[in-house]
Amino acid sequence: MTTRRLVLTRTAAVVGAASTGLLLPQIARAQGNKVRVGLMLPYTGTFAQLGVAIENGVRMAIEQQGGKLGGRDIEWFKVDDEAEPSKGIENATKLVQRDKVDVLIGTVHSGVQMGIQKVVRDSGTLCLIPNAGVHAATRALCAPNVFRTSFTNSQPTLALGQAMMAKGHKKAVWITWKYAAGDEAFEGFRDSYTKAGGTIVKELGLPFPQVEFQALLTEIASLKPDAVACFFAGGGAAKFIKDYAAAGLKGKIPLYGSGFLTEGVLDAAGPAADGIITTMHYGDSLNTPRDNKFRLDYAKMFRLQPDVYAVQGYDTGLLLVQGANAVKGDLSNKAIYKAMENATIDSPRGKWTMSKSHNPVQDIYLRVVENKENKVLGVAAKALADSGAGCKMG
Ligand code: PHB
C-alpha cells in the first residue's frame, strides 16, 4: 500500500511538472537510457547453431569492450527467424516497430535477409548483417544504414575455381540448395572455374533445407566428374558430408566447397570430412596472436570451439562498438555511417576494411579438413572485394 501510494504521488508530481515542461528532458533520458539492440537470427532449424555462434560472438566482443555502446547500457531484443523467408518482413517489423530497436543485427539466411533489407531501408534503422551473403544487400539494394561484416555469397567461391584447376580437376559437378545463397555461390564458382579453364558438366540442386541427397549422389557417381564443388551449411552440410562418404564417393571424387560446408560441423561429420578442400575468409589454424587469443577466450566463455559464424558475430560487435563510440551512443546520429565506413576491424580472421558498398574487403584462405580442423593451406585470394555492382548510396 505504501509503495502504491508512493508511486501514485510520484506520478502526480511528474505529470504536474511535465505540464510545465520542466521534467521532460529528464523523463526522455530515463526512458531512452539503454541502447536497444535487436538480434534476428535462426535459433531453430538447420541454421540454429549458426545463430547461436553469431550471438555468442556479438556478446563476447561487446563484453570485452566494457559491455556498453558509447557509454550506454544495452537492452537486448531477440527474434528467432527460423531461417524462414516468408516470415522475414514480419519478424524484422517486430524488432523495428514493436521493440523500437536502435540497431538490428541479422541474419543468416539470404532469403530472410531480403525481408530485413526492405524493412530497414523503409525505416532507416541501422542494420548490421552478420552472415547472409545475398548480393543485393550490398549491390542494387545497398543502403547507407546497412553494413555487412561477413561476405557476399560469391566471395568465397571466387577463390575456389583456380584452386581446383591447380589440382588438375578439369571437369566438375556443382551441387547446392536452390536459393539465393547457393545460386550466388555458384556464380563465383562458375566465373573462377571457367576462367581457369575448367568445365562444369552439371549443376544439381534441391530446395532449402531439404537433405534427401541420395538420388543426386547416385547421379554424381554416374557422371564421374574429376571433382564436386558445392554450397551447403549448418546441419544440412554435416549430413551432405556423411552421405557423400556413405555413397562411396569420398576418396574417389574429391569434394570441394564454399567453406561453410565444413564450418561448425566437424564434430558431427567426423572422419567423413577429412580431405575436403574449401575456400573461406577464416580458418582454424591461422595461428596469429589475434586469432589464438580469440579462440582461447571463446572456448573459455562458451565451452565451444569458435567457427566462422562466431568470428562474424564478433566482428559485428567490434564494428558496433566502434560506431557507437564515435557518436557517444546516439545511434540515430548519421555520423555513425562514416565511422563504420572508415573502420578497420581487427578481426580474428585478419584485419579487414569496409568496401564502398559496405561489405568486407578480405583475404580468402584455402583450407583442408584434417582431424576435425579447417587447416589453412594458404591465401587463395588477397584483399578480395565484392564488385558492389549497381550500388548507389542514396
Ligand atoms: C545465406 O543464406 O546467405 C547463407 C547461409 C548460411 C551460410 C552462408 C550463407 O553458411
Side-chain angles (χ1 to χ4, degrees):
M1 191 59 206
T2 326
T3 326
R4 186 170 156 75
R5 204 179 310 129
L6 203 65
V7 169
L8 287 175
T9 320
R10 277 210 187 126
T11 310
V14 166
V15 169
S19 63
T20 68
L22 280 176
L23 271 184
L24 271 182
Q26 229 169 321
I27 293 167
R29 228 176 300 137
Q31 283 173 345
N33 218 358
K34 292 189 177 175
V35 185
R36 302 165 80 85
V37 179
L39 292 172
M40 177 160 157
L41 292 167
Y43 294 105
T44 50
T46 202
F47 288 161
Q49 275 187 38
L50 285 58
V52 170
I54 289 169
E55 177 174 348
N56 287 348
V58 171
R59 286 184 186 267
M60 187 167 107
I62 296 177
E63 201 57 45
Q64 288 181 348
Q65 310 281 315
K68 296 191 180 209
L69 289 175
R72 293 169 68 194
D73 286 332
I74 299 171
E75 184 166 3
W76 298 90
F77 298 85
K78 277 170 67 162
V79 166
D80 174 10
D81 69 36
E82 306 163 45
E84 179 47 65
S86 69
K87 298 183 192 164
I89 290 181
E90 181 190 329
N91 281 327
T93 304
K94 279 185 197 159
L95 287 171
V96 167
Q97 286 191 4
R98 181 192 66 191
D99 301 332
K100 306 209 174 342
V101 296
D102 298 301
V103 55
L104 190 162
I105 297 174
T107 188
V108 168
H109 184 288
S110 278
V112 181
Q113 197 68 44
M114 291 303 282
I116 295 181
Q117 194 78 3
K118 165 145 184 43
V119 172
V120 298
R121 273 169 62 98
D122 288 352
S123 65
T125 310
L126 180 64
C127 176
L128 305 190
I129 309 174
N131 185 74
V134 64
H135 286 169
T138 54
R139 290 192 186 178
L141 294 178
C142 75
N145 53 316
V146 177
F147 293 83
R148 179 149 49 199
T149 58
S150 49
F151 56 88
T152 55
N153 287 321
S154 59
Q155 239 179 339
T157 42
L158 270 174
L160 187 59
Q162 175 62 37
M164 289 173 65
M165 277 305 282
K167 292 267 185 189
H169 306 313
K170 298 189 180 116
K171 289 187 177 162
V173 165
W174 170 261
I175 178 166
T176 189
W177 277 317
K178 288 297 293 171
Y179 80 107
D183 293 343
E184 294 175 352
F186 175 70
E187 283 180 34
F189 171 64
R190 181 197 60 209
D191 291 358
S192 61
Y193 189 60
T194 55
K195 198 167 149 211
T199 305
I200 299 163
V201 291
K202 185 107 191 197
E203 281 172 57
L204 299 171
L206 72 172
F208 174 89
Q210 286 182 19
V211 289
E212 285 75 40
F213 300 118
Q214 204 46 56
L216 298 166
L217 292 171
T218 306
E219 192 171 350
I220 289 173
S222 70
L223 286 164
K224 296 194 180 57
D226 297 337
V228 170
C230 68
F231 168 86
F232 291 108
K239 178 153 192 303
F240 182 73
I241 292 169
K242 284 194 280 188
D243 287 4
Y244 195 87
L249 297 177
K250 178 177 154 56
K252 286 205 187 115
I253 306 175
L255 181 57
Y256 289 77
S258 187
F260 305 110
L261 178 67
T262 56
E263 286 291 327
V265 302
L266 294 178
D267 277 334
D274 283 337
I276 297 175
I277 294 181
T278 60
T279 42
M280 181 94 301
H281 44 281
Y282 186 60
D284 297 327
S285 64
L286 289 173
N287 203 19
T288 57
R290 181 74 185 94
D291 189 46
N292 290 345
K293 178 170 175 1
F294 166 78
R295 296 186 73 86
L296 196 65
D297 290 346
Y298 191 91
K300 272 194 204 152
M301 193 176 276
F302 304 109
R303 310 260 151 233
L304 285 171
Q305 288 303 313
D307 54 23
V308 74
Y309 309 107
V311 171
Q312 291 166 179
Y314 189 76
D315 291 2
T316 302
L318 293 183
L319 178 67
L320 186 54
V321 169
Q322 281 194 35
N325 286 346
V327 292
K328 300 195 168 56
D330 178 7
L331 269 50
S332 68
N333 180 344
K334 291 194 167 48
I336 197 170
Y337 302 160
K338 262 278 153 299
M340 289 193 171
E341 275 164 8
N342 294 334
T344 297
I345 300 300
D346 188 12
S347 168
R349 70 183 98 165
K351 285 193 174 134
W352 61 266
T353 55
M354 253 329 150
S355 73
K356 284 205 169 64
S357 54
H358 297 180
N359 189 70
V361 179
Q362 57 192 337
D363 294 349
I364 308 289
Y365 304 99
L366 184 67
R367 311 107 45 91
V368 64
V369 177
E370 264 181 32
N371 300 324
K372 301 196 173 176
E373 206 187 56
N374 283 297
K375 189 178 151 197
V376 176
L377 298 171
V379 174
K382 188 85 197 142
L384 187 68
D386 186 74
S387 72
C391 168
K392 287 191 196 69
M393 291 288 173

